[in-house]
Structures are given as structure tokens and as C-alpha cells.
């Protein structure tokens, strides 16, 4: 077993003011590895932005700006977190939920045809909208 010691005693973290937390189970029970990079970043941002009940009013433009991500990628990540039972969203308010019993692994199927790409691929949908608006 590794013996632990404080490396910088003058810099030990203390809880002051507001406080966000992620259960250790998030890492230990496989939730971390069940998320994509975008899902993980959005989840951690929502955890940090939430109040003691897990509620956050951050708008999509604020979240996209902080994450430096396009809105279509944000929507995919948000919807995946909802499907994985990690957050709730009512259109304006987020709630970071208590962790479910185990990670929900949503299967991502490959998009094989042009029709599937047009229907399901966020980048394709974004391009169709941009072309229509020109």
C-alpha cells in the first residue's frame, strides 16, 4: 500500500463558501469511463455550477461559451447525460441527479447511409440548417 503524506501543507484544500462535489463512486463504479469527453466536461461544469440541490440555470449559450463547444455538440452531450440518468432538464433548468445504481451505457450505432447521416449526425444536421439559411 502507498503511504500518503501531504506534499504542500500550506496549500491543503479547504471548503469555503460554495462547494461542489462529485461522489467517489463516479470514478470507482465506472461512470467516468461511460462518458464521452463532451459529456464529461458538461457534467462536471453542471456539477460546479449547481446549488446544493444540484440545480443550475446556466443557459446553453453560457455553457457553450464556457465549454468552447458548438451548440450541436452541447445538445448531443446534454441529451446523452439525460439518457444516462445523470441530469434532468426542463428546457431552462438543470438538475444534477444522485448517481443511479450503475452507469447506463447507451449503445451508439454506426451511421451507415446518407439518410442516417442526414437524420442522426449533428454535424450533418448543422450543415443542412446553414445551407437552408444562406
Amino acid at each position: 500500500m502507498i503511504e500518503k503524506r501531504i506534499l504542500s501543507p500550506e496549500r491543503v484544500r479547504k471548503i469555503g463558501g460554495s462547494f461542489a462535489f462529485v461522489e467517489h463512486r463516479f470514478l470507482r463504479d465506472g461512470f467516468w469511463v461511460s462518458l464521452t469527453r463532451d459529456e464529461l466536461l458538461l457534467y462536471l461544469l453542471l456539477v460546479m455550477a449547481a446549488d446544493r440541490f444540484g440545480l443550475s440555470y446556466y443557459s446553453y449559450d453560457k455553457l457553450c461559451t464556457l465549454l468552447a463547444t458548438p451548440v450541436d455538440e452541447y445538445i448531443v452531450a446534454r441529451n446523452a447525460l439525460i439518457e444516462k440518468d445523470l441530469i434532468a432538464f426542463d428546457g431552462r433548468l438543470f438538475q444534477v441527479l444522485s448517481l443511479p445504481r450503475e452507469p447506463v451505457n447507451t449503445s451508439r450505432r454506426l451511421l451507415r447511409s446518407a439518410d442516417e447521416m442526414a437524420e442522426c449526425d449533428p454535424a450533418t444536421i448543422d450543415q443542412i440548417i446553414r445551407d437552408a439559411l444562406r
Side-chain angles (χ1 to χ4, degrees), residues 87-105:
I87 65 169
F89 180 64
D90 72 357
R92 65 179 186 84
L93 177 67
F94 287 96
Q95 181 182 351
V96 176
L97 304 172
S98 61
L99 292 178
R101 221 170 220 250
E102 58 188 34
V104 175
N105 291 314

Side-chain angles (χ1 to χ4, degrees), residues 13-30:
R13 296 187 308 163
K14 296 174 183 74
I15 298 171
S18 62
F19 176 72
F21 76 93
V22 176
E23 287 184 61
H24 189 258
R25 221 168 56 81
F26 187 79
L27 181 60
R28 187 185 66 228
D29 290 356

